[in-house]
Amino acid sequence: MDYHDMLARLGEGSAHPGGFLATLKLLDGLSLPVSNHILEIGCGTGRTACYLAKSGYRVTAIDLHRNMLDKAVRRARREQVDVQFVQADVTSLPFPENHFDVVFVESVTIFTPWRSALAEYRRVLKPGGLLVDREMILSGQKTELMCRRLKQFYGIRTLVTATAWRKRLKQCGFTKVEVKEHSRSMGKWGVDHDPHREIDMNWFEDERMQRMSQTNDRLLAKYGKKLGYAVFAARAPLEVKKEK
């Protein structure tokens, strides 16, 4: 069992800086046209995807974790909303080019080969389409040991500053790159109730779960002051390059 298995067992629907309340605030500030077709990357148990669908958007959502997706499908049934859930890898999205108005990502890209992920986000966006990506960033001095421990436990593949992320987005062809939010700390999770959260209760007695929870606490206590987060907004190019 790894960190993402643990989140799936716990039915966690918003495992990113700020939690679901931060997601609601972000979406409210974006004021996306209700006609938009939104692709959520790494939808987890489907909390955000279902909220978007309930708000009137056409929503497609992907995740690589089967247990997460199964819970997301059941959540959508309970909430009586229509979301197309697809099991897929962000580095090889099973969608045609120029397909979505918005690609919405929260705490996913840091776990992936970022060049491939950003290239896929851009490929599936319509010309001028919007990418919104909330990611953990580096806000202090990192060490080789720190990076190794974070990668081993959480699966984090890249940890860089907000400035470095902006450069990466531009390198991958995105335009009008903005930092919508920037915090040098991970911030606080507001208390909110998720009535459709589906928890595998038997896992609370599992020794592996207890050890992972303790490791998580130790890592955050040791390295939390060096971590922050940022929300990036960027546009796909207006002109689509055609192969000769």
Side-chain angles (χ1 to χ4, degrees):
M1 182 174 68
D2 62 20
Y3 175 70
H4 299 281
D5 293 327
M6 182 178 73
L7 293 179
R9 296 290 184 181
L10 293 174
E12 177 56 59
S14 304
H16 55 260
F20 189 61
L21 295 180
T23 299
L24 296 180
K25 181 179 178 181
L26 174 59
L27 291 171
D28 185 60
L30 291 172
S31 299
L32 301 172
V34 75
S35 60
N36 278 181
H37 186 184
I38 300 175
L39 171 65
E40 187 189 5
I41 301 289
C43 64
T45 60
R47 192 175 186 188
T48 297
C50 290
Y51 173 81
L52 289 167
K54 191 173 292 185
S55 300
Y57 297 99
R58 182 182 172 194
V59 183
T60 301
I62 72 153
D63 204 286
L64 191 58
H65 202 290
R66 186 70 255 172
N67 194 5
M68 290 277 202
L69 279 177
D70 289 342
K71 290 187 175 184
V73 170
R74 290 194 289 270
R75 178 192 291 269
R77 288 173 181 165
R78 287 192 295 270
E79 296 197 36
Q80 298 182 334
V81 294
D82 183 18
V83 178
Q84 181 187 10
F85 290 107
V86 180
Q87 186 174 21
D89 189 323
V90 298
T91 62
S92 183
L93 296 173
F95 308 111
E97 297 180 3
N98 315 321
H99 192 64
F100 297 99
D101 299 290
V102 179
V103 169
F104 190 78
V105 193
E106 290 190 291
S107 196
V108 175
T109 313
I110 58 171
F111 301 104
T112 71
W114 63 268
R115 288 184 181 86
S116 298
L118 293 181
E120 281 294 270
Y121 301 166
R122 177 186 162 185
R123 182 184 67 81
V124 300
L125 276 170
K126 294 178 181 178
L130 176 65
L131 168 67
V132 179
D133 193 349
R134 180 196 304 273
E135 296 295 340
M136 182 190 297
I137 60 168
L138 182 69
S139 61
Q141 189 69 34
K142 69 179 178 180
T143 65
E144 183 179 339
L145 177 61
M146 171 185 169
C147 292
R148 185 166 67 247
R149 286 179 172 174
L150 295 179
K151 180 177 181 179
Q152 183 179 20
F153 183 74
Y154 297 107
I156 294 173
R157 298 182 62 137
T158 183
L159 183 59
V160 296
T161 63
T163 299
W165 270 118
R166 288 188 67 189
K167 290 180 179 178
R168 290 179 173 189
L169 286 161
K170 292 177 180 178
Q171 288 172 4
C172 290
F174 285 96
T175 65
K176 299 180 180 180
V177 179
E178 299 179 74
V179 179
K180 307 290 285 187
E181 297 179 35
H182 185 189
S183 174
R184 295 185 63 82
S185 70
M186 292 293 287
K188 296 181 179 180
W189 273 251
V191 177
D192 76 300
H193 176 59
D194 179 5
H196 299 290
R197 183 172 181 173
E198 186 180 325
I199 303 174
D200 299 347
M201 299 300 294
N202 60 308
W203 281 86
F204 283 108
E205 304 300 323
D206 190 280
E207 291 184 2
R208 291 174 296 172
M209 179 75 79
Q210 295 172 11
R211 287 197 300 269
M212 291 191 72
S213 179
Q214 293 168 359
T215 301
N216 178 62
D217 292 342
R218 287 197 299 269
L219 289 173
L220 291 179
K222 187 173 182 63
Y223 301 120
K225 293 182 179 179
K226 297 183 178 182
L227 303 173
Y229 75 92
V231 177
F232 305 94
R235 293 282 177 177
L238 287 173
E239 293 184 5
V240 180
K241 290 185 179 181
K242 296 182 179 179
E243 295 184 4
K244 296 181 179 180

